């Protein structure tokens, strides 16, 4: 196991980061590559942050398990594989296997720190001045790290209503708690309509749990293009998710480990074994010492930064979810690397910064979603009547052999503007959309036009070719 430092090794560091997640790791290692003295302070007993431990990575592993279950249960007969028994997912055995892989990643993070010269300090970091970080170790002992530059990259945490707001809310778990579940819940109510709610509800439903999704509106993913919303919501219902629309949870009754009853403002009573809150996240800015030294927050509690990740205090910066923009792991990584380039990479990188426009993202729903750029509504608000839409709805070739009720929908949509038909938005849902999106995100970032898409020879037979043959 690489060393964990319990005291400073120098009078002053070039760079100290509070937070050892993806952003903190990327920024610290980039700084160390320039020969700088770097320390990372992480409060959790493992590195990697949300993404590695209770986010992207274990979530995608669970998605793969759910996807495989769907294929075994519903697709093999269409492809004339005989004698395959009905699949039964063993959650209790799978969890420790998944956790072992995550622990392996934790070790890789720590090994990378050691190899590249980044000090890993285990403890709670707190700003004690604009140039110092106080570290409180798990045993309560404290020490101080002095630094020329300090970056806050502590991330966020799931939001759960208080019991005052929703009586019994604390009987539920959050997305972090999902990964602590030792057994698969037979019945579950997921509260929320965002991508975390959609992904976890999809996993649970596909693995055989009776799944309820309580949403405030008529559709899931309300910040996404309306075509995505209108395609995924009915498909989730068709595939077995019980969606309770225009509903708010008013109370939860029962005892943990026993039957819980969810009451909605529509008079419904939903009996489940697990209640999972997925109503949003908030920044972990409490007790960081920000207010005392003048680091300003917005009304939501996010750290205010400029385009170069500077906070309102000189030589203190913030990257990742804690600054409230584009809450995605690759964004934190990219911003962190560019910040270190600018601070330590010399004249070549003097103005390096992350461009937050046209950042692609995917949703690991069933089927998957990929999106980049403006939604149709955003484009029409910005560009008016110069917006034109190209759209195609179809079934992927894979589903040609599958029974009708299990044929997943695919919809591809381009949003273009102006006489040159510059592509300002790509929104796709259907099998493989998560993989298809990465390449088309490059095209949008480069300012591609519809003609550029048309001039690209299709790869056949694929779903992706639809984006270069739309008419």
């Amino acid at each position: 196991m690489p060393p964990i430092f319990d005291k400073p090794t120098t009078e002053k560091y070039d760079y100290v980061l509070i937070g050892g997640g993806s952003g903190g790791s990327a920024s610290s290692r980039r700084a160390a590559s320039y020969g700088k003295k770097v320390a990372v302070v992480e409060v959790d007993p493992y590195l990697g942050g949300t993404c590695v431990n209770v986010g992207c990575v274990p979530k995608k592993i669970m998605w793969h398990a759910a996807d495989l279950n769907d294929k075994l249960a519903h697709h093999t007969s269409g492809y004339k594989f005989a004698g395959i028994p009905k699949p039964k997912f063993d959650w209790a055995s799978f969890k420790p296997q998944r956790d072992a892989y995550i622990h392996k990643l934790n070790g890789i993070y720590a090994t990378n720190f050691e190899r590249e010269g980044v000090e890993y300090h285990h403890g709670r970091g707190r700003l004690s001045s604009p140039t110092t970080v106080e570290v409180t170790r798990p045993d309560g002992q404290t020490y101080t790290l002095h630094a020329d530059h300090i970056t806050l990259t502590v991330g966020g945490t799931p939001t759960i209503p208080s019991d005052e707001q929703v009586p019994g809310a604390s009987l539920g778990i959050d997305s972090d708690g999902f990964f602590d579940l030792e057994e698969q819940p037979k019945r579950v109510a997921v509260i929320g309509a965002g991508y975390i709610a959609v992904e976890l509800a999809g996993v649970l439903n596909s693995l055989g749990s009776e799944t309820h999704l309580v949403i405030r509106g008529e559709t899931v993913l309300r910040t996404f293009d309306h075509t995505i919303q209108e395609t995924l919501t009915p498909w989730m219902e068709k595939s077995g998710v019980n969606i309770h629309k225009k509903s708010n949870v008013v109370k939860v009754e029962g005892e943990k480990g026993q039957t819980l009853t969810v009451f909605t403002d529509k008079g419904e009573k939903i009996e489940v074994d697990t209640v999972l809150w997925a109503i949003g996240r908030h920044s972990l800015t409490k007790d960081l010492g920000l207010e005392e030294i003048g680091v300003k927050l917005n009304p939501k509690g996010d750290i205010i930064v400029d385009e170069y990740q500077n906070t309102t205090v000189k030589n203190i910066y913030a990257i990742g979810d804690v600054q409230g923009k584009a809450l995605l792991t690759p964004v934190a990584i990219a911003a962190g690397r560019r910040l270190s380039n600018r601070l330590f990479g010399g004249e070549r990188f003097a103005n390096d910064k992350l461009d937050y426009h046209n950042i692609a993202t995917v949703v690991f729903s069933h089927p998957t979603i990929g999106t980049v750029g403006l939604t149709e509504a955003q484009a029409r608000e910005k560009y008016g009547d110069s917006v034109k839409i190209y759209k195609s709805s179809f079934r992927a070739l894979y589903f040609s052999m599958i029974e009708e009720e299990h044929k997943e929908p695919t919809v591809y949509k381009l949003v273009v503007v102006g006489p040159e038909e510059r592509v300002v938005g790509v929104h796709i849902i259907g099998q493989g959309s998560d993989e298809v999106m990465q390449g088309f995100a490059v095209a949008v970032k480069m300012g591609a036009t519809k003609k550029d898409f048309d001039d690209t020879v299709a790869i056949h037979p694929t779903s992706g070719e639809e984006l270069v043959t739309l008419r």
Side-chain angles (χ1 to χ4, degrees):
M1 180 70 183
I4 298 176
F5 292 81
D6 58 4
K7 59 186 177 183
T9 62
T10 183
E11 288 188 5
K12 180 179 280 191
Y13 291 84
D14 297 300
Y15 195 31
V16 171
L17 302 95
I18 304 178
S22 299
S25 175
S27 190
S28 64
R29 292 170 62 194
R30 181 59 57 89
S33 75
Y34 292 119
K36 300 304 176 181
K37 185 72 171 175
V38 183
V40 171
V41 183
E42 170 57 51
V43 67
D44 289 328
Y46 38 75
L47 294 169
T50 296
C51 178
V52 169
N53 295 290
V54 288
C56 334
V57 178
K59 179 269 304 288
K60 182 70 180 290
I61 290 172
M62 294 303 293
W63 181 89
H64 279 305
D67 183 58
L68 183 58
N69 193 74
D70 274 342
K71 287 181 167 63
L72 291 171
H74 305 306
H75 300 173
T76 52
S77 61
Y79 277 91
K80 302 308 175 188
F81 285 89
I84 297 177
K86 182 178 179 180
K88 178 174 174 54
F89 180 66
D90 188 347
W91 185 296
S93 297
F94 190 71
K95 180 186 183 298
Q97 178 178 302
R98 184 196 71 211
D99 291 349
Y101 177 72
I102 300 306
H103 293 323
K104 178 182 176 181
L105 296 183
N106 297 147
I108 290 172
Y109 267 67
T111 299
N112 286 339
F113 276 9
E114 182 184 31
R115 185 180 67 245
E116 298 178 28
V118 176
E119 292 184 10
Y120 167 29
H121 294 253
H122 180 205
R124 180 173 294 280
R126 187 179 190 277
L127 294 171
S128 48
S129 81
T131 59
T132 56
V133 173
E134 181 185 75
V135 181
T136 302
R137 289 166 36 82
D139 61 10
Q141 296 183 18
T142 64
Y143 58 91
T144 298
L145 304 178
H146 296 259
D148 290 327
H149 301 277
I150 299 171
T151 288
L152 306 166
T153 175
V154 295
T157 191
T159 299
I160 291 185
S162 68
D163 284 337
E164 289 71 32
Q165 294 169 313
V166 179
S170 61
L171 293 169
I173 63 173
D174 56 24
S175 57
D176 291 0
F178 170 84
F179 297 104
D180 289 331
L181 290 171
E182 298 290 344
E183 300 281 348
Q184 180 176 349
K186 291 183 172 61
R187 303 168 299 171
V188 61
V190 180
I191 320 300
Y195 76 93
I196 295 174
V198 163
E199 290 176 338
L200 298 186
V203 164
L204 289 159
N205 178 64
S206 291
L207 290 177
S209 296
E210 177 189 309
T211 305
H212 298 264
L213 186 63
V214 182
I215 65 176
R216 291 183 298 174
E218 288 283 358
T219 61
V220 297
L221 302 177
R222 291 190 302 274
T223 62
F224 285 67
D225 188 271
H226 66 86
T227 296
I228 298 295
Q229 300 177 43
E230 293 162 5
T231 303
L232 182 62
T233 305
W235 179 255
M236 290 184 72
E237 291 179 297
K238 181 179 173 63
S239 63
V241 178
N242 302 286
I243 301 182
H244 304 260
K245 300 175 182 178
K246 288 190 172 297
S247 298
N248 292 282
V249 175
V250 294
K251 67 177 176 179
V252 181
E253 290 184 349
E255 295 183 21
K256 282 193 174 183
Q258 300 181 24
T259 296
L260 301 176
T261 304
V262 177
F263 295 81
T264 74
D265 57 358
K266 293 179 70 174
E268 287 186 289
K269 298 179 182 179
I270 309 165
E271 291 194 348
V272 294
D273 305 300
T274 300
V275 173
L276 197 164
W277 294 97
I279 59 174
R281 296 175 63 85
H282 60 274
S283 295
L284 282 168
T285 49
K286 187 179 180 181
D287 297 329
L288 279 181
L290 305 181
E291 295 86 348
E292 291 89 334
I293 66 168
V295 175
K296 293 184 179 178
L297 308 177
N298 67 18
K300 293 173 59 180
D302 304 320
I303 297 175
I304 296 172
V305 297
D306 65 13
E307 60 185 326
Y308 292 97
Q309 311 297 151
N310 299 309
T311 70
T312 49
V313 174
K314 185 178 180 181
N315 296 331
I316 297 180
Y317 319 93
I319 60 171
D321 290 6
V322 76
Q323 45 92 67
K325 293 186 296 186
L327 311 185
L328 299 165
T329 295
V331 172
I333 292 171
R337 287 174 177 163
R338 284 163 176 77
L339 174 59
S340 289
N341 286 345
R342 180 171 68 83
L343 296 178
F344 309 114
E347 187 61 31
R348 176 187 172 193
F349 296 110
N351 294 305
D352 207 6
K353 62 180 180 180
L354 178 62
D355 178 6
Y356 281 82
H357 296 96
N358 291 326
I359 292 173
T361 188
V362 302
V363 179
F364 291 102
S365 49
H366 301 264
T368 53
I369 292 164
T371 181
V372 65
L374 301 177
T375 66
E376 179 181 345
Q378 290 169 336
R380 293 195 184 283
E381 182 177 352
K382 184 173 183 178
Y383 296 106
D385 292 339
S386 66
V387 173
K388 185 174 181 180
I389 302 300
Y390 292 89
K391 186 170 73 170
S392 175
S393 301
F394 59 99
R395 300 278 180 76
L397 179 62
Y398 170 83
F399 292 102
S400 62
M401 299 292 106
I402 307 301
E403 294 178 5
E404 184 65 28
E405 65 178 309
H406 299 300
K407 294 180 187 286
E408 292 180 357
T410 300
V411 182
Y412 280 11
K413 180 176 184 178
L414 294 183
V415 182
V416 305
V417 299
E420 74 282 11
E421 293 194 327
R422 179 168 60 91
V423 180
V424 298
V426 180
H427 308 282
I428 60 178
I429 179 172
Q431 185 187 61
S433 292
D434 50 323
E435 298 290 350
V436 171
M437 178 49 61
Q438 186 70 78
F440 284 96
V442 175
V444 173
K445 193 72 175 177
M446 293 177 69
T449 64
K450 176 66 166 57
K451 185 177 185 302
D452 292 323
F453 278 45
D454 294 342
D455 288 343
T456 302
V457 176
I459 302 170
H460 183 74
T462 65
S463 293
E465 69 179 299
E466 201 74 15
L467 285 173
V468 298
T469 57
L470 287 169
R471 298 192 58 164

